[in-house]
Amino acid sequence: MPETLFINATLARLDRESGYGLCEHGALLVEAGRIAWLGPMSDQPAVGDAEVIDCAGRLLTPGLIDCHSHLVYGGDRADEFEMRLEGASYAQIAQQGGGILATVNATRAASEAELFEQSLPRLDALLAEGVTTFEIKSGYGLDSDNEIKMLRVARQLERERKIRVQKTFLGAHALPPEYAGRSADYIERVCDEMLPRAHAEGLVDAVDVFIESIAFSLEQGAKVFDCAQALGLPIKAHAEQLSDLGGAVMAAQRGALSVDHIEYLAADDVARLAQSETVAVLLPGAFYVLRETQLPPLAALRQHKVPMALGSDANPGSSPITSLLLVMNMACTLFRLTPAEALRGVTINAARALGLQSEIGSLEVGKQADIVLWNAAKPSMLSYQIGINPCAAVMQAGRWRNQAGLEK
Ligand code: DI6
Ligand code: FE
């Protein structure tokens, strides 16, 4: 693999406790798929026959990381969107077979090939904005075969596009219709059959549970975590999205990688999160689409230095969004994150939320060379603009993935 030397770059290294870690007039050397050196051009080491990329002052960041998505699913829910705007209530839509269960039906009905074909454009939209690592959850199959089918599609997307996909088992996302009124039985099935089978196929990097009044209880969540941890798998939780059931603290006390949504997390509980390494994953896309008004406890998260990450939450119901740049903008506008917090949220802190911080998420010597060159001179541009894609070129593990905007 040839060496690549970037020169005249504005490096956002994301290598410190806060801020961008900017280095202007910087250079960065890639060797054997890893970052071999970076720093001011004035200190640049001599290199042999490396490919030299003159960035002309433009910005280089680590590859973006979408640490929370449900982008593998069948069908869409545009009709429901339309019905709601024409005055139908959520309950009416549910009675007509809408909501999560509509997506469960469409996902179950789709073959693996159809699911792949439907999911690829969503993945490609995120890829085009410089995303190099994805997390993709199951959770619309809700039985062994269909959960495994979803995770196989996630693996196939990873292989097809030569990206990194972390696969998360979310069997406890909703109660399938055949278990109506028998949620304890379903959780037993998740623990005794569905999760062990998916894990045996090597399809599970982490286990997530939707702990919510409309989904599973705190005790049921804890039970699934017991099973996950007995298999040696990391855990994470959808928690405190619509109400405060204590899911985030319970998950953090068990060493969860992340707790996600957390709009209803009490500020007083944030100190308890800070006692673990758990990352707070904020999902402004769902907040926007559901027109929520309860903000996550941002002041407390900052005060206790809980790392904050951002995800697309790409899903057909509450977040039909496949733009991580738009999510960064929403995080700034709706949650009042600073642009530096937003960029950290889709790089180093997103890496932490996936347990991959020693490998990706910042520009540091030894890390995998996942690098984006932007048609922008400063990092605030990434959060500021809506509807333009400034991604010029993407390198993944030292190989060019998209170099359309690259001038050599
Ligand atoms: N929280 C959400 O907002 C989505 N899932 C979840 O756990 C909703 C998913 C959907 O409506 O399809
Ligand atoms: Fe989600």
Side-chain angles (χ1 to χ4, degrees):
M1 202 186 293
E3 298 175 8
T4 305
L5 177 67
F6 295 89
I7 59 169
N8 280 321
T10 300
L11 304 170
R13 292 172 293 189
L14 285 310
D15 60 342
R16 312 282 152 91
E17 282 301 301
S18 64
Y20 297 121
L22 269 193
C23 170
E24 287 177 8
H25 310 290
L28 184 149
L29 177 67
V30 174
E31 264 175 18
R34 304 230 156 227
I35 298 172
W37 185 87
L38 79 167
M41 279 179 75
S42 50
D43 299 348
Q44 187 184 309
V47 287
D49 55 357
E51 171 189 33
V52 177
I53 308 295
D54 186 344
C55 301
R58 289 183 291 174
L59 177 69
L60 282 187
T61 70
L64 304 191
I65 300 168
D66 186 356
C67 67
H68 182 136
S69 95
H70 310 248
L71 71 80
V72 171
Y73 60 81
D76 64 71
R77 305 236 290 275
D79 291 346
E80 231 171 88
F81 175 72
E82 192 158 16
M83 282 161 70
R84 272 207 307 277
L85 287 164
E86 286 166 354
S89 73
Y90 220 83
Q92 284 167 333
I93 290 168
Q95 273 163 15
Q96 293 171 26
I100 290 188
L101 293 183
T103 302
V104 172
N105 290 335
T107 303
R108 286 178 171 181
S111 68
E112 205 171 304
E114 287 165 343
L115 216 44
F116 175 80
E117 204 176 297
Q118 292 180 38
S119 303
L120 189 61
R122 295 190 279 268
L123 183 97
D124 281 344
L126 285 152
L127 275 178
E129 289 185 350
V131 179
T132 49
T133 298
F134 297 75
E135 186 254 15
I136 299 179
K137 301 176 195 293
S138 69
Y140 291 117
L142 309 184
D143 63 33
S144 287
D145 289 349
N146 285 298
E147 288 290 297
I148 285 172
K149 178 175 73 182
M150 289 183 72
L151 294 168
R152 282 188 189 148
V153 171
R155 181 171 63 188
Q156 205 187 334
L157 292 167
E158 174 173 42
R159 291 178 179 166
E160 180 73 21
R161 288 293 185 253
K162 299 185 175 60
I163 48 174
R164 191 194 290 260
V165 175
Q166 291 296 106
K167 293 165 281 300
T168 299
F169 175 85
L170 178 57
H173 186 199
L175 191 62
E178 60 275 18
Y179 278 86
R182 295 189 295 130
S183 64
D185 292 347
Y186 181 63
I187 291 296
E188 234 169 75
R189 175 114 182 258
V190 166
C191 289
D192 295 347
E193 183 204 311
M194 292 164 58
L195 173 57
R197 271 191 57 194
H199 177 53
E201 265 205 43
L203 288 168
V204 184
D205 298 308
V207 175
D208 193 349
V209 180
F210 190 16
I211 299 170
E212 191 53 72
S213 45
I214 59 163
F216 298 99
S217 69
L218 190 66
E219 293 69 31
Q220 290 171 331
K223 200 157 179 210
V224 175
F225 289 157
D226 282 341
C227 305
Q229 292 183 312
L231 295 171
L233 292 167
I235 58 167
K236 43 180 58 219
H238 280 70
E240 274 74 70
Q241 181 186 2
L242 308 167
S243 62
D244 186 356
L245 296 189
V249 169
M250 183 275 283
Q253 286 174 342
R254 288 163 176 260
L257 286 173
S258 69
V259 292
D260 302 35
H261 286 290
I262 62 165
E263 283 90 339
Y264 284 82
L265 174 64
D268 288 350
D269 281 337
V270 172
R272 297 161 78 187
L273 282 197
Q275 288 163 7
S276 66
E277 303 285 301
T278 304
V279 175
V281 175
L282 308 180
L283 303 166
F287 179 90
Y288 166 80
V289 170
L290 298 176
R291 305 178 76 228
E292 290 288 330
T293 51
Q294 172 79 30
L295 289 165
L298 280 154
L301 291 167
R302 285 191 181 115
Q303 183 196 335
H304 293 285
K305 297 192 163 40
V306 175
M308 292 185 282
L310 299 173
S312 69
D313 201 14
N315 78 66
S318 64
S319 190
I321 296 173
T322 50
S323 167
L324 214 46
L325 295 177
L326 178 58
V327 166
M328 291 167 74
N329 175 272
M330 286 178 172
C332 294
T333 304
L334 299 172
F335 292 169
R336 312 310 290 165
L337 260 63
T338 66
E341 286 171 332
L343 185 57
R344 297 178 70 78
V346 295
T347 55
I348 186 63
N349 288 344
R352 287 192 177 118
L354 299 176
L356 295 173
Q357 65 275 22
S358 60
E359 183 65 10
I360 54 172
S362 60
L363 301 179
E364 288 181 85
V365 171
K367 282 203 175 175
Q368 182 168 304
D370 291 357
I371 296 167
V372 185
L373 172 65
W374 301 94
N375 287 323
K378 52 195 174 193
S380 55
M381 290 294 283
L382 303 184
S383 296
Y384 159 70
Q385 281 185 312
I386 302 174
I388 194 162
N389 181 4
C391 176
V394 181
M395 177 176 267
Q396 178 126 23
R399 293 179 196 280
W400 291 109
R401 200 185 61 209
N402 154 15
Q403 52 185 146
L406 193 64
E407 289 159 32
K408 288 187 209 165

